[in-house]
Amino acid sequence: MKKIGILFGQENTFPQAFADRINRKNPSGIFAEFVTLDKVLQGQASEYAVIVDRISQDVPFYRAFLKNAAATGTAVINNPFWWSADDKFFNNALAEQINVTVPRTALLPSYQHPDNTNAKSFRNLIFPLDWQGIFDYVGFPAYLKPYDGGGWRNVYRLADKEEFYKVHQETGQLVMMLQEEIDFNAYYRCYCIGGKAVRIMPYNPRHSHQDRYKATFEIDKGVLAEIERATIALNQYLGYDFNTVEFAVRGDVPYAIDFCNPAPDADIHSIGQENFEWIVETSAQYAIERAMAHDWSKDNLTWGKFISPGIIKKNSAE
């Protein structure tokens, strides 16, 4: 019997529906349940052929457990090694290499020195930074956001450089990035499962949280086709099995705004019944596929095209 486990925290509707859907399908030799742990010993295999991770971004103990499980043959969705290494600024840099349009973005050092550092730790930086050059590149209005954050935490909309200087000093030790604002006429959030199945959902971040998925936009079908292409490309290069990508459409150009969401919201009360049904069915079927292909003697993780040998990016040397 191959077991599919789901590891989760405070969410309620998706984990139960996911496990129930797999068990209702009743695939031969496969069973789904909530992950349970009473100890984690180095180098000892987990009892799960597949684990869907919904919580390790908030619980370091779980992230370490999943790396141990992956090292001993479990297929972890998403790859815990890559998830640990990824960040939103890198995502933008990669997007440019694979012809996905993104806002102009600059990386900024933390306003306060990190613990256990001092001015000598930053001797390679020129102070003050070329702030005007950064502002000229990004433009205003702009967004100041953590380079590796999520959940809209510590995100600020800034009207001008004076507001930037005021807000930046409030960010403490957070490493931030300054990003061009895209004044959108349409906005979409896209689930991507297995680097192949895409669900494009109208979404309006200007609305209150409970109403964001109730948006409607008039948009050309060619724009939606480009959104689907870019969603698949980003997830295949990043190696995410379960992720969302957000696009702000300005005119007829979709800009990938945020695509480092490996534990995206899947609660029925926020995403709605139709989107919930799609994500439950698609993720359950994908987990079954991964369980059927599972082999304890092999590496069962998904590694993106970015770290695969022989992949040539557009700016690579000839």
Side-chain angles (χ1 to χ4, degrees):
M1 176 68 69
K2 290 184 176 180
K3 296 172 73 172
I4 298 173
I6 183 165
L7 185 68
F8 63 100
Q10 300 179 48
E11 64 177 332
N12 293 312
T13 59
F14 174 72
Q16 188 68 64
F18 170 82
D20 288 347
R21 183 63 56 89
I22 291 173
N23 293 333
R24 192 178 307 136
K25 289 176 176 292
N26 194 27
S28 178
I30 296 172
F31 177 77
E33 66 177 23
F34 297 164
V35 171
T36 57
L37 296 170
D38 62 2
K39 60 181 175 297
V40 179
L41 305 179
Q42 65 183 23
Q44 290 196 8
S46 132
E47 60 184 302
Y48 298 97
V50 177
I51 294 177
V52 175
D53 173 22
R54 302 282 297 161
I55 188 59
S56 76
Q57 74 279 5
D58 295 327
V59 183
F61 170 77
Y62 286 153
R63 181 61 59 83
F65 154 68
L66 289 170
K67 289 179 179 179
N68 190 70
T72 53
T74 296
V76 181
I77 300 173
N78 289 289
N79 183 332
F81 299 100
W82 178 245
W83 194 349
S84 297
D86 196 17
D87 65 68
K88 294 177 185 294
F89 186 74
F90 164 76
N91 282 179
N92 273 41
L94 175 64
E96 289 199 344
Q97 301 302 306
I98 60 173
N99 296 313
V100 173
T101 304
V102 290
R104 295 187 298 272
T105 306
L107 183 68
L108 310 177
S110 58
Y111 185 82
Q112 295 178 357
H113 292 160
D115 293 339
N116 302 314
T117 68
N118 55 39
K120 290 184 178 180
S121 304
F122 295 89
R123 285 183 285 188
N124 295 95
L125 283 179
I126 298 173
F127 288 102
L129 296 180
D130 180 10
W131 290 115
Q132 193 57 53
I134 293 171
F135 298 152
D136 289 345
Y137 171 70
V138 174
F140 285 101
Y143 282 92
L144 184 66
K145 58 178 71 173
Y147 88 109
D148 62 348
W152 291 84
R153 292 185 294 272
N154 304 110
V155 176
Y156 308 89
R157 183 184 184 273
L158 307 175
D160 50 40
K161 64 181 180 181
E162 286 73 25
E163 190 172 10
F164 167 83
Y165 288 128
K166 178 182 178 181
V167 172
H168 188 222
Q169 65 184 339
E170 300 172 1
T171 60
Q173 295 184 14
L174 294 175
V175 176
M176 307 293 284
M177 59 187 195
L178 189 66
Q179 187 169 86
E180 171 192 12
E181 179 186 55
I182 303 300
D183 186 14
F184 61 85
N185 50 282
Y187 200 102
Y188 295 91
R189 199 165 205 231
C190 307
Y191 280 120
C192 187
I193 303 298
K196 56 185 178 180
V198 176
R199 174 79 169 180
I200 301 176
M201 303 173 290
Y203 179 85
N204 196 333
R206 294 169 178 158
H207 291 170
S208 59
H209 183 75
Q210 65 270 21
D211 292 328
R212 288 178 180 176
Y213 288 94
K214 298 177 182 177
T216 56
F217 301 107
E218 295 293 331
I219 204 73
D220 184 84
K221 290 183 179 179
V223 176
L224 294 177
E226 172 58 19
I227 286 174
E228 181 172 1
R229 181 205 69 81
T231 298
I232 291 173
L234 287 167
N235 281 279
Q236 288 186 353
Y237 269 83
L238 292 168
Y240 283 129
D241 305 304
F242 194 137
N243 193 27
T244 56
V245 182
E246 294 182 16
F247 291 90
V249 181
R250 183 168 64 188
D252 290 329
V253 179
Y255 290 77
I257 296 292
D258 186 4
F259 35 103
C260 186
N261 299 295
D265 182 12
D267 185 86
I268 190 173
H269 301 296
S270 56
I271 68 174
Q273 179 63 50
E274 292 185 5
N275 293 328
F276 183 75
E277 170 60 27
W278 187 91
I279 194 62
V280 170
E281 174 63 23
T282 308
S283 60
Q285 186 57 47
Y286 179 66
I288 291 170
E289 292 174 8
R290 292 292 294 274
M292 293 176 65
H294 179 265
D295 182 340
W296 285 109
S297 66
K298 297 181 179 179
D299 173 9
N300 293 288
L301 297 176
T302 298
W303 296 94
K305 290 182 179 180
F306 168 73
I307 53 178
S308 298
I311 298 298
I312 306 299
K313 317 300 188 305
K314 72 174 184 179
N315 290 337
S316 297
E318 296 294 334

